[in-house]
Amino acid sequence: MSEPSLIRLRELLADFACKKHTVTYNELAITFEMPPPHRIHRLTLMLEDLIREDHAAGCPLVAAVAVSRGHEGIPGRGFFQLLEELGRYQGPDRGPQAVAWHQHELSELFAKHS
């Protein structure tokens, strides 16, 4: 995806972080005006790029505000799998440990955007 699109997505996610809100992938795709087909897949690829950037910079993950509908209000499995690949998280992609880690990451992100 183009750099201007990533910047725009980062700004949108930061706005949710400033409001201390999460957003589902579908709601984010609509707000971002990502056209079909495969908009959730393309959106998650962009979110992964932002995760890599934030991780490399040692920053809280702005992509953490994007969550799955249901699934304990946390991001999808791919989020945790990428974090494990980056060495940022070790554990399951569902359940109490994933929920606790996500809440910690959101707390750090919300504090940064206060």
Side-chain angles (χ1 to χ4, degrees):
M1 194 57 66
S2 71
E3 187 65 26
S5 293
L6 283 175
I7 291 169
R8 193 170 129 249
L9 180 58
R10 179 179 291 284
E11 290 170 350
L12 182 59
L13 293 167
D15 186 51
F16 281 103
C18 286
K19 295 174 184 170
K20 298 182 178 13
H21 287 281
T22 58
V23 60
T24 66
Y25 296 122
N26 189 54
E27 293 168 330
L28 182 59
I30 292 167
T31 303
F32 189 65
E33 299 176 346
M34 177 74 73
H38 312 294
R39 66 182 179 184
I40 302 299
H41 175 71
R42 289 183 290 124
L43 182 66
T44 57
L45 293 176
M46 293 176 68
L47 291 168
E48 289 175 358
D49 287 343
L50 294 177
I51 289 168
R52 286 183 183 94
E53 287 177 8
D54 288 345
H55 175 72
C59 295
L61 307 177
V62 72
V65 300
V67 298
S68 292
R69 183 181 58 191
H71 300 295
E72 304 168 296
I74 62 175
R77 295 178 190 269
F79 175 86
F80 292 99
Q81 291 166 357
L82 176 57
L83 297 183
E84 189 166 13
E85 182 183 308
L86 295 172
R88 189 169 178 127
Y89 171 76
Q90 298 298 313
D93 51 32
R94 289 281 169 259
Q97 186 177 347
V99 170
W101 186 90
H102 182 246
Q103 287 302 314
H104 170 75
E105 190 68 37
L106 282 177
S107 295
E108 295 288 320
L109 181 65
F110 293 165
K112 177 184 174 185
H113 288 276
S114 291

